[in-house]
Amino acid sequence: APTAQEVYTKWAEAPGAMHPDYGGLIVDEFITASPAHFAAWGDAVGKLYEDSRFAGKTFYAFCGDLHEDAHSLEFARGLMAKNGLFALERYIAEEPTQDIATGWIQQQFPETVQAWQSALPGSPERLVMVLGILCAPPESVDTLPNVNYNVLQEMQFNRIANDPACFGLYGLMEYSASYADEESLRFAYQLMRHYAIEGRRDRLLKEPYILDHVDNPDFAEGLKGWTVEAA
């Protein structure tokens, strides 16, 4: 594990980290590491906040479920004490049925928020939910050709907007624009406006989860529904 000074120096020297025109620093990613790593990172966050050049700025930990392990939970407590924020990764892949997708969304959003609140009271108000807009190489959750990816995206926004467990979250963001096609990126920010800026709770799309304009698109049933001829 590095020393706290090594970590602090790396962050403090990052372009823009201390620049007066920037609001803070987001560091990727706090998921799985040794107790010594989390101890060093926690001490480094403290040193960063003690630096007068960082006054008024915010440290965002791009993370997984830090509440599930004792040493990562201690790091999370320390960051909360400094009024830092957690950018919590939640990347939902397409599922063969809407019911399965709904179950995952229930688990990954309201149930996750409740688990954070139970382990770290007050933490949901410090959570930024990071939804996965991953639909172009090299990473993708848009993996089933018979599923409407835009509908899956909206299902997540709609649950966050309507489930009381998710009320009071600090914010929403998408990861990552560089892994998204233009249509999906544009639609994601229509959803951001509809739900997070205008405060709407009704559905924006009226389209079905399962696409109905093509049969057997992944050839799971051989050539059923297709007319083919030799090249």
Side-chain angles (χ1 to χ4, degrees), residues 45-47 49-50 57 77-84 126:
V45 169
K47 290 174 69 66
Y49 273 98
E50 290 167 2
K57 301 183 187 297
R77 285 197 185 99
L79 183 56
M80 271 192 68
K82 299 292 185 182
N83 291 319
R126 313 303 297 166

Side-chain angles (χ1 to χ4, degrees), residues 19-197:
H19 195 285
D21 291 341
Y22 286 80
L25 186 65
I26 186 166
V27 176
D28 177 30
E29 60 188 335
F30 295 86
I31 296 184
T32 301
S34 71
H37 279 82
F38 274 106
W41 291 336
D43 290 345
V45 169
K47 290 174 69 66
L48 192 66
Y49 273 98
E50 290 167 2
D51 192 315
S52 61
R53 297 173 299 165
F54 202 72
K57 301 183 187 297
T58 303
F59 185 95
Y60 292 73
F62 208 91
C63 67
D65 286 317
L66 298 177
H67 66 281
E68 292 183 337
D69 188 273
H71 49 271
S72 59
L73 178 60
E74 187 61 28
F75 168 81
R77 285 197 185 99
L79 183 56
M80 271 192 68
K82 299 292 185 182
N83 291 319
L85 296 170
F86 306 94
L88 182 62
E89 300 178 47
R90 281 296 176 267
Y91 308 150
I92 306 294
E94 290 177 335
E95 295 291 348
T97 70
Q98 186 168 355
D99 285 344
I100 297 175
T102 298
W104 274 110
I105 290 169
Q106 170 68 22
Q107 181 189 88
Q108 295 296 304
F109 295 107
E111 291 180 16
T112 289
V113 172
Q114 291 167 342
W116 273 76
Q117 172 63 19
S118 178
L120 197 60
S123 58
E125 296 178 4
R126 313 303 297 166
L127 289 180
V128 178
M129 282 294 182
V130 185
L131 281 61
I133 183 166
L134 306 162
C135 53
E139 295 182 27
S140 181
V141 294
D142 181 13
T143 55
L144 299 179
N146 63 328
V147 170
N148 189 325
Y149 182 67
N150 286 345
V151 171
L152 177 65
Q153 284 285 98
E154 178 162 23
M155 287 170 63
Q156 297 170 68
F157 276 87
N158 189 266
R159 176 56 61 88
I160 292 170
N162 284 284
D163 196 302
C166 297
F167 294 174
L169 291 174
Y170 190 86
L172 290 170
M173 64 176 281
E174 294 271 14
Y175 176 86
S176 162
S178 61
Y179 292 166
D181 59 56
E182 183 177 351
E183 176 195 352
S184 299
L185 191 61
R186 288 180 182 277
F187 181 66
Y189 289 97
Q190 290 179 31
L191 292 174
M192 200 72 80
R193 172 167 290 281
H194 182 82
Y195 288 103
I197 296 176

